[in-house]
Amino acid sequence: MKNNYEQNLQINVLVRYGMVGLLGTIIHFGSLILLVEFANFDPVLGSALGFLLVLVISYILNRTWTFQSKSRNVRQFLIYSIVSFIGLGLNSAIIFISVHILKWNYLYGQCLVVLVVPVSNYLLNSLWTFRD
């Protein structure tokens, strides 16, 4: 059974992860809208590029602030990138199905992405990437 300190620590990590995720979501949505509406990109490509933009920003914030990892090695970034690319695959599949098969507006598909991808990424990052 976990003590109160460990429970509070886990809650703090989850809240910080959520805050970094919210910032990433804002950046992702903003870049997606700019790329689709103003640069005439396909929504799948625009969403993928937005996801990649958030990769570096979220890695730095999650490593230093969320998980407060002392590791600064390339291996950790590679693992984070693998987790992110798994998320990118989920992201792209959801957007593709939403836009090209279900014929939804791309923003509805992106809202579905926000419900699925952060959960899988958090689990993989907390159990694998930033496990100290």
Side-chain angles (χ1 to χ4, degrees), residues 23-82:
L23 175 64
T25 299
I26 292 167
I27 293 169
H28 192 174
F29 265 86
S31 62
L32 170 64
I33 291 167
L34 287 172
L35 290 170
V36 170
E37 300 298 331
F38 298 104
N40 218 19
F41 277 59
D42 179 83
V44 176
L45 179 59
S47 184
L49 291 173
F51 194 93
L52 292 172
L53 173 63
V54 173
L55 170 69
V56 174
I57 296 168
S58 64
Y59 170 73
I60 292 167
L61 290 174
N62 279 317
R63 181 181 55 79
T64 60
W65 188 57
T66 303
F67 295 100
Q68 298 178 0
S69 175
K70 303 300 180 208
S71 177
R72 294 177 186 244
N73 60 38
V74 173
R75 181 180 181 276
Q76 186 182 57
F77 180 73
L78 291 174
I79 293 170
Y80 188 86
S81 296
I82 291 168

Side-chain angles (χ1 to χ4, degrees), residues 81-130:
S81 296
I82 291 168
V83 169
S84 294
F85 279 107
I86 290 169
L88 176 59
L90 285 171
N91 177 89
S92 297
I94 291 168
I95 290 291
F96 180 84
I97 291 167
S98 298
V99 171
H100 295 295
I101 295 175
L102 298 176
K103 305 297 182 193
W104 292 355
N105 180 285
Y106 69 93
L107 292 175
Y108 294 140
Q110 193 64 36
C111 287
L112 186 57
V113 165
V114 170
L115 296 175
V116 174
V117 175
V119 173
S120 68
N121 281 4
Y122 175 78
L123 291 172
L124 290 170
N125 280 319
S126 64
L127 296 172
W128 187 26
T129 309
F130 297 110

